[in-house]
Amino acid sequence: MDAVRVATLREVLAGTRWPTAARRFARTLRSSVEPQGGGLLLVGTEVYEPWHMAAHLVDESTWSGLPQLRPTLVRHHARPDDPAHLAVGLGRIEAAGRGETLLVVAPGSPGGGLLERVHDARRAGATVLALEGGDPEVQGLAHEALTVTSADEVDLDTVQHLVSAAAGENGTPTRGRGTFRDRLSRLADQLTAPPPARW
């Protein structure tokens, strides 16, 4: 999602908790991957693979100059003959440990097999973050969780857009007043902001 669309989405959601909650969660994500220089694993449930979140984080990683945001997509049904970037199976979570971050995106119950692996990764020292739909077991395993339920004003896909965009904001400037992406985002926010009230 480009900077103008993200700014428009934030404007639409102004007055709700979502822009602030997404930025807070994104800061936690950034602070967990930056010191290690990467090690971000992204996994969904057996019926929901977070393809869009992976793609958006790859884009944000590129635009912001933060390679540590580029995730490894872990898949439930990865096959050895899949392309390398799609062939990472659940065994990768079992190998996760200190210095790595595991981001679980689970709109519904992820099932016991995944939860056991996430629990083992956490015990081995991995940081566990979750964008989830209200599952108490997922919340209990996560160091930080952002919960999106069917009663909320937004859906999980929308929150993924907000989080991935916020994760790439204010990357390490390569020169001048921030990255081009940061300046474009600020400009889009200014252009889509309502005019000031005149009394």
Side-chain angles (χ1 to χ4, degrees), residues 1-180:
M1 184 175 280
D2 62 51
V4 173
R5 289 183 183 158
V6 169
T8 302
L9 182 56
R10 287 177 179 153
E11 182 184 343
V12 168
L13 293 172
T16 72
R17 73 182 187 98
W18 297 109
T20 301
R23 280 194 167 112
R24 185 170 38 251
F25 188 85
R27 275 196 304 271
T28 301
L29 174 61
R30 281 267 299 269
S31 67
S32 69
V33 298
E34 281 186 332
Q36 285 76 34
L40 176 58
L41 304 175
L42 177 63
V43 66
T45 67
E46 192 164 6
V47 296
Y48 181 87
E49 287 188 330
W51 295 97
H52 281 96
M53 184 74 173
H56 290 309
L57 284 171
V58 167
D59 288 346
E60 292 298 332
S61 167
T62 302
W63 293 329
S64 65
L66 296 167
Q68 58 270 33
L69 285 177
R70 183 176 295 267
T72 297
L73 180 62
V74 178
R75 301 180 61 218
H76 287 256
H77 301 291
R79 297 184 307 265
D81 59 338
D82 286 336
H85 68 288
L86 299 177
V88 179
L90 292 176
R92 180 61 183 89
I93 295 175
E94 295 168 10
R98 189 166 306 285
E100 293 184 289
T101 301
L102 176 58
L103 175 55
V104 180
V105 180
S109 174
L114 177 59
L115 289 174
E116 289 169 12
R117 288 178 170 93
V118 172
H119 177 72
D120 290 344
R122 180 178 167 135
R123 246 189 5 222
T127 300
V128 178
L129 306 176
L131 287 172
E132 52 82 39
D135 187 292
E137 288 186 275
V138 176
Q139 293 169 1
L141 283 175
H143 292 94
E144 179 91 16
L146 182 54
T147 302
V148 186
T149 69
S150 57
D152 289 314
E153 308 96 331
V154 296
D155 60 16
L156 192 63
D157 287 338
T158 301
V159 174
Q160 289 177 66
H161 286 300
L162 291 171
V163 168
S164 59
E169 286 177 344
N170 304 316
T172 304
T174 52
R175 63 177 190 262
R177 300 165 297 148
T179 65
F180 173 74

